[in-house]
Amino acid sequence: YAHSKDIVHLDIKPENILIGEFGELFLCDWGMAEKTKELQRDIRDSRLKGTPGFIAPERIETEPADKRMDIYSLGCLLYFTLCNKAPISAENLEAYVQKLSECEIPSLEKDSPISVPQSIAQIFSKCCQHDPDQRYQQVNEIIEDLDLYTSGFATKAEEAGLLRNLQLLYKR
């Protein structure tokens, strides 16, 4: 809903997700949220907004930022959920910025202690692309891919060929 009003959360992380009485999820701590048209460009300095491990690369670059920053953070949240750690970690902010600028996003399939389906790994990968144009453009696209996965179909993130689609058809 927030993205439809041009509001970006800027700090999506596990600590900001609450689970309600009926299993519903709430995104809290909107203290850093801003309207996309009002976002300032962040230069590499100590005033970097967000939590290391969940910050999109464009927050440290001179490019204008938008709601795709939250999509990157959602990918990091998915990684955290499956691996119990952030996808990128470092001893200090400078080292973190260096790793992030080098596009060092780890493999979800290799780092997770559980077996991660290819579809989920591709959703993570698409969320966490260094180039925002290569990510999902809307949160609804992630939801659509998750719905496809849970229904036994190939996700759009997979860009599945005929063989993969036939395998999934057979499993359904």
Side-chain angles (χ1 to χ4, degrees), residues 75-101:
C76 293
L77 185 65
L78 174 62
Y79 182 95
F80 185 90
T81 302
L82 296 171
C83 299
N84 201 30
K85 63 180 182 176
I88 298 176
S89 61
E91 299 120 28
N92 56 50
L93 186 58
E94 184 177 304
Y96 174 77
V97 168
Q98 180 66 32
K99 281 185 175 183
L100 189 59
S101 65

Side-chain angles (χ1 to χ4, degrees), residues 2 16 22 26 36 44 64 70-71 89 97 106 108 112-113 119 125 129 131 140:
N16 289 340
F22 301 104
F26 297 99
T36 55
R44 297 176 189 195
D70 282 349
I71 290 172
S89 61
V97 168
L108 179 59
S112 178
S119 303
S125 179
Q129 290 293 310
D131 178 1
N140 286 343

Side-chain angles (χ1 to χ4, degrees), residues 13-130:
K13 60 183 179 181
E15 294 86 353
N16 289 340
I17 307 294
L18 297 178
I19 301 173
E21 186 177 335
F22 301 104
E24 67 276 28
L25 299 177
F26 297 99
L27 183 57
C28 60
D29 191 3
W30 288 82
M32 291 175 38
E34 297 181 31
K35 289 195 72 75
T36 55
K37 293 173 180 65
E38 297 170 3
L39 286 174
Q40 299 298 312
R41 297 178 180 185
D42 279 331
I43 307 300
R44 297 176 189 195
D45 68 8
S46 61
R47 295 177 297 177
L48 186 63
K49 286 185 177 181
T51 302
F54 298 90
I55 300 171
E58 58 269 31
R59 289 300 289 167
I60 61 167
E61 297 173 358
T62 58
E63 297 175 23
D66 60 27
K67 58 190 164 190
R68 294 173 294 182
M69 293 183 304
D70 282 349
I71 290 172
Y72 181 93
S73 297
L74 286 170
C76 293
L77 185 65
L78 174 62
Y79 182 95
F80 185 90
T81 302
L82 296 171
C83 299
N84 201 30
K85 63 180 182 176
I88 298 176
S89 61
E91 299 120 28
N92 56 50
L93 186 58
E94 184 177 304
Y96 174 77
V97 168
Q98 180 66 32
K99 281 185 175 183
L100 189 59
S101 65
E102 292 172 355
C103 307
E104 287 190 27
I105 295 295
S107 168
L108 179 59
E109 294 160 307
K110 291 179 185 173
D111 290 349
S112 178
I114 61 172
S115 177
V116 175
Q118 176 186 359
S119 303
I120 298 298
Q122 289 300 316
I123 290 171
F124 160 73
S125 179
K126 186 162 183 164
C127 285
C128 291
Q129 290 293 310
H130 190 77

